[in-house]
Amino acid sequence: MANYSSFLSFFVVLLCACNGVSASLSKTHYHSTCPQAFSVIKKTVVEAVKKEARMGASLLRLHFHDCFVNGCDASVLLDDVPGKINGEKTAPPNNMSLRGFDVVDTIKANVEKVCPGVVSCADILAVAARDSVVAVIGGPTWDVRVGRRDSTNASFDGAIANLPAPNSNISTLIEKFRNQKLTRVDLVALSGAHTIGQARCVLFRDRLYNDSDIDPSFKQSLEAGCPLSGNDNKDFPLDVATPTLFDNQYYKNLQQEKGLLHSDQVLLNSSITSHFVNRYTSSSTRFFRAFAKAMIKMGNVTPLTGKKGEIRVNCRKVNG
Ligand code: HEM
């Protein structure tokens, strides 16, 4: 009997691992300790997105930048503490770029009011990312498993090493995703997040003036706002055609050589990934399905569970 049940649990763990579902996270983790957790997070996200539509994009990106550096452990939210924490917020891929920290503080404060010390900041990021996509017009939904705990440290160097840069070529993108156990399908599906949100001129200037696979009218429409020098921090929509809709227009843009970032356009130009771009161009249902599946996988990247880490009281600081 004992042998049979251990065989069964081994099988379940194996099945979960193959699906990208972490065996230690569950949908019911807060059922008895904080039944209001999901509704409080959702309400705060909906209010924030109503106030500023772009916030949906910013919260989605925060979860991605958390998970790619030491797993989904809210390390991205820790402020620098001289001599103790050399945090991720000030690392070049995040500095002056990540947004939404104040909204996360508000979500956390609202959750703390109903169940103090119970809900982790890492789970808040995972749930808020899903709620953000749902709050943007047209976005798909998925079940978020919870039970992640928060780190007691962060990694400035990890942010530089693990986060993909906008001038990355296809092999670098595939490698950075593979390092998180994410496939090339996940890479193409998750890049579809660029159907919403904005990017600064300084991050696509090289593409604008050096790449040949760029539509001439699209290039021309960007040149005045993003000249060869100046306007570095001016924002432009990542999806030129339907910037506020969560749809498969991002892939259609790539077909017309209207991807904003070099790292977007290379997905179509490489035979390793173009197949998936074509698939999501022709079917938003397939894009949504792949996106939801990949978000679940990304949310399960090496979470801290059990007795590891802590439940931070303030998402910006370690306890005590
Ligand atoms: C494939 C590699 C990726 C690269 C190279 C990349 C790069 C970038 C860059 C350079 C920006 C603009 C930042 C700025 O202007 O300061 C950006 C914005 C954004 N990224 Fe990505 N990204 C990638 C993948 C992802 C993934 C996997 C997601 C989420 C699942 C994501 C979600 C977003 C969103 C929503 C925005 C807009 C944020 C806002 O408007 O505040 N990105 N990305």
Side-chain angles (χ1 to χ4, degrees), residues 54 57-58 60-61 64-65 96-97 99 164-166 168 173 177 187 190-191 193-194 196-200 203 235 238 261 263 291 295 298:
R54 185 182 175 188
S58 306
L60 171 59
R61 186 168 183 239
F64 158 49
H65 280 221
M96 316 271 289
S97 176
R99 309 169 75 247
S168 303
L173 291 174
F177 275 66
L187 163 65
L190 289 172
S191 295
H194 290 174
I196 52 171
Q198 307 194 4
R200 288 171 298 145
L203 299 169
D235 290 312
L238 282 154
L261 307 179
S263 56
F291 184 78
M295 283 299 292
M298 187 177 80

Side-chain angles (χ1 to χ4, degrees), residues 2-317:
N3 274 349
Y4 180 67
S5 70
S6 51
F7 170 75
L8 251 182
S9 21
F10 170 74
F11 192 67
V12 169
V13 168
L14 200 74
L15 211 109
C16 288
C18 295
N19 274 326
V21 172
S22 169
S24 35
L25 302 180
S26 80
K27 281 189 261 180
T28 55
H29 185 80
Y30 295 119
H31 265 196
S32 58
T33 53
C34 191
Q36 312 94 316
F38 282 101
S39 59
V40 173
I41 298 170
K42 184 176 176 179
K43 187 167 184 282
T44 319
V45 169
V46 168
E47 277 164 15
V49 174
K50 206 181 264 175
K51 207 161 139 197
E52 191 207 358
R54 185 182 175 188
M55 193 46 68
S58 306
L59 291 172
L60 171 59
R61 186 168 183 239
L62 264 186
H63 180 48
F64 158 49
H65 280 221
D66 181 33
C67 295
F68 266 56
V69 184
N70 297 341
C72 312
D73 61 356
S75 55
V76 71
L77 301 178
L78 287 176
D79 285 341
D80 282 358
V81 179
K84 283 191 181 154
I85 291 179
N86 193 11
E88 294 161 29
K89 282 178 176 175
T90 48
N94 294 332
N95 199 21
M96 316 271 289
S97 176
L98 281 185
R99 309 169 75 247
F101 296 110
D102 294 351
V103 174
V104 174
D105 289 341
T106 308
I107 300 173
K108 177 66 171 171
N110 290 345
V111 172
E112 285 293 297
K113 270 185 225 156
V114 290
C115 359
V118 172
V119 179
S120 69
C121 301
D123 278 342
I124 287 176
L125 287 179
V127 177
R130 187 271 313 271
D131 292 344
S132 293
V133 171
V134 173
V136 174
I137 301 165
T141 191
W142 59 93
D143 285 333
V144 180
R145 288 168 191 264
V146 285
R148 300 167 189 79
R149 290 168 64 84
D150 300 326
S151 70
T152 50
N153 51 36
S155 178
F156 180 94
D157 294 341
I160 297 174
N162 294 318
L163 291 166
N167 60 354
S168 303
N169 60 26
I170 194 68
S171 33
T172 306
L173 291 174
I174 289 174
E175 186 196 328
K176 303 248 161 167
F177 275 66
R178 197 194 303 122
N179 291 343
Q180 310 297 333
K181 302 205 164 45
L182 295 169
T183 64
R184 38 193 88 173
V185 183
D186 299 324
L187 163 65
V188 177
L190 289 172
S191 295
H194 290 174
T195 176
I196 52 171
Q198 307 194 4
R200 288 171 298 145
C201 159
V202 65
L203 299 169
F204 62 85
R205 179 181 283 127
D206 281 352
R207 162 159 170 71
L208 196 54
Y209 294 101
N210 297 323
D211 288 3
S212 54
D213 54 356
I214 185 163
D215 174 77
S217 65
F218 177 58
K219 177 178 154 77
Q220 207 189 359
S221 72
L222 293 167
E223 278 173 350
C226 186
L228 269 166
S229 69
N231 280 5
D232 281 6
N233 293 324
K234 191 173 161 62
D235 290 312
F236 293 80
L238 282 154
D239 170 355
V240 65
T242 60
T244 55
L245 294 187
F246 200 102
D247 57 9
N248 66 340
Q249 181 65 42
Y250 166 81
Y251 301 102
K252 296 180 185 169
N253 295 340
L254 300 185
Q255 307 285 358
Q256 297 166 28
E257 301 193 319
K258 291 180 181 173
L260 188 65
L261 307 179
H262 179 81
S263 56
D264 292 323
Q265 197 61 51
V266 293
L267 298 176
L268 180 67
N269 299 345
S270 158
S271 58
I272 312 172
T273 46
S274 58
H275 174 64
F276 306 113
V277 174
N278 295 336
R279 181 184 292 174
Y280 304 143
T281 304
S282 54
S283 165
S284 58
T285 309
R286 293 184 86 172
F287 163 47
F288 282 3
R289 215 181 289 142
F291 184 78
K293 194 172 163 194
M295 283 299 292
I296 294 171
K297 257 175 105 172
M298 187 177 80
N300 290 327
V301 173
T302 54
L304 295 171
T305 53
K307 293 197 160 56
K308 291 185 194 145
E310 62 181 18
I311 304 296
R312 274 182 228 146
V313 175
N314 175 339
C315 292
R316 293 173 182 265
K317 297 180 194 163

